[in-house]
């Protein structure tokens, strides 16, 4: 994990505009929001899936950086006063607090196209048809039928009681879509998987995407602000429906374990090549931050 995280930090440093290029303040804010923090779970998943499909790590680095830029933009916008209104992210002041709201908005506006530019201008596939398909995967995962749509459902759910199915539907989009894209794009950088194997990998990705959110909800009421590097206890304070509010803490923990078992089952026939994906399912469920 450490080597992928270090590699990603160096890659993102290179791919982001330098802070002395105009407009300096925007570029500084983009770098502030992307660099020097975060678990890099999505890049780790992309590299693990790439390992499974025999991908060239130089290709995986591109898709992993693109996904991480979309993720970073989503956090910057999510923290803004018009959305979740938070002041702490990755252990430091949120982008709009450190800079200002207009800059935070522009950081997201600029990171999103930069992700697509990066994928468009590097060779990440053997054919242009596959290359366009990969761009489409990221676009769909980010848009109104993916992450942005999930965020809309999340905002609409504040103060309401949701059923478990409705909560799951929201999270499959808000958090799950980008996690799934990270796995599938990493795998598509290689060429060793057939349609049936892609299906099993998708099942793995969807399962850990949900597990990630269940654990996030558990940690929100279970861990401290200092450990998380973001404000703990916010879901309850904002009267947000979560796995913990619907199922209770003990059942939510059990559900995360069940999802971990399901994720392992989806990988069963892959053998040792899926070792990293298995480890990441464990990390996602057992993490404490
Ligand atoms: C603003 C269009 C738009 C979307 C925002 C994903 C999202 C949608 C908002 C994030 C809100 C949130 C805290 C969701 C819980 C799950 C989650 C994505 C947590 C943060 O991801 P980590 O834990 O963060 O991977 P790090 O900092 O480690 O990268």
């Amino acid at each position: 994990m450490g080597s992928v995280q270090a590699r990603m930090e160096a890659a993102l440093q290179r791919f982001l505009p330098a802070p002395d290029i105009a407009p300096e303040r925007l570029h500084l804010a983009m770098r502030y929001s992307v660099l020097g923090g975060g678990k890099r779970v999505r890049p780790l998943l992309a590299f693990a899936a790439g390992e499974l499909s025999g991908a060239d790590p130089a290709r995986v680095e591109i898709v992993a950086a693109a996904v991480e830029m979309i993720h970073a933009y989503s956090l910057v916008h999510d923290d803004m006063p018009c959305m979740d209104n938070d002041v702490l992210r990755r252990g430091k002041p949120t982008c709009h607090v450190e800079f200002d709201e207009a800059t935070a908005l522009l950081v997201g506006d600029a990171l999103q196209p930069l992700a697509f530019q990066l994928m468009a201008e590097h060779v990440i596939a053997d054919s242009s048809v596959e290359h366009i398909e990969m761009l489409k995967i990221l676009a769909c995962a980010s848009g109104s039928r993916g992450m942005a749509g999930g965020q809309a459902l999340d905002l609409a759910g504040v103060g309401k009681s949701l059923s478990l199915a409705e909560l799951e539907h929201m999270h499959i989009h808000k958090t799950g879509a980008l996690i799934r894209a990270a796995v599938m794009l990493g795998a598509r950088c290689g060429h060793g998987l057939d349609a049936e194997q892609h299906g099993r990998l998708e099942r793995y990705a969807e399962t850990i995407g949900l597990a990630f959110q269940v654990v996030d909800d558990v940690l929100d009421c279970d861990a401290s602000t200092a450990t998380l590097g973001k404000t703990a206890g916010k879901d309850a304070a904002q009267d947000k429906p979560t796995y913990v509010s619907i199922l209770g803490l003990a059942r939510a923990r059990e559900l995360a374990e069940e999802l971990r078992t399901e994720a392992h089952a989806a990988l069963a026939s892959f053998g040792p090549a899926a070792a990293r994906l298995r480890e990441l399912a464990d990390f996602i469920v057992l993490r404490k931050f």
Side-chain angles (χ1 to χ4, degrees), residues 69-80:
M69 283 179 190
I70 299 278
H71 170 59
Y73 120 69
S74 82
L75 298 182
V76 170
H77 280 190
D78 182 67
D79 288 332
M80 289 181 70

Side-chain angles (χ1 to χ4, degrees), residues 190-232:
H191 20 259
L193 302 187
D194 60 30
E196 198 262 331
Q197 289 173 315
H198 269 282
R200 275 188 273 132
L201 199 56
E202 267 177 12
R203 206 159 58 247
Y204 163 84
E206 285 159 10
T207 309
I208 53 144
L210 264 188
F212 187 91
Q213 187 61 55
V214 176
V215 172
D216 209 71
D217 288 355
V218 168
L219 289 173
D220 186 68
C221 65
D222 212 15
S224 69
T225 297
T227 310
L228 295 179
K230 61 180 182 179
T231 314

Side-chain angles (χ1 to χ4, degrees), residues 34 37-43 68 70-79 83-84 86 89-91 112 142-143 146-152 154-155 171 173-176 178-179 209 212-213 216-217 219 228-230 235 240 287 289:
V34 177
K39 297 177 286 297
R40 310 294 190 209
V41 166
R42 294 151 195 82
E68 193 64 10
I70 299 278
H71 170 59
Y73 120 69
S74 82
L75 298 182
V76 170
H77 280 190
D78 182 67
D79 288 332
M83 295 215 189
D84 234 17
D86 213 329
R89 170 71 64 183
R90 294 176 168 176
Q112 178 155 213
S142 313
M147 181 183 75
Q151 179 77 345
D154 184 346
L155 294 171
H171 287 312
H173 294 84
K174 188 180 104 167
T175 315
L178 202 59
I179 287 181
F212 187 91
Q213 187 61 55
D216 209 71
D217 288 355
L219 289 173
L228 295 179
K230 61 180 182 179
D235 294 336
K240 272 194 168 183
R287 70 197 164 100
F289 58 95

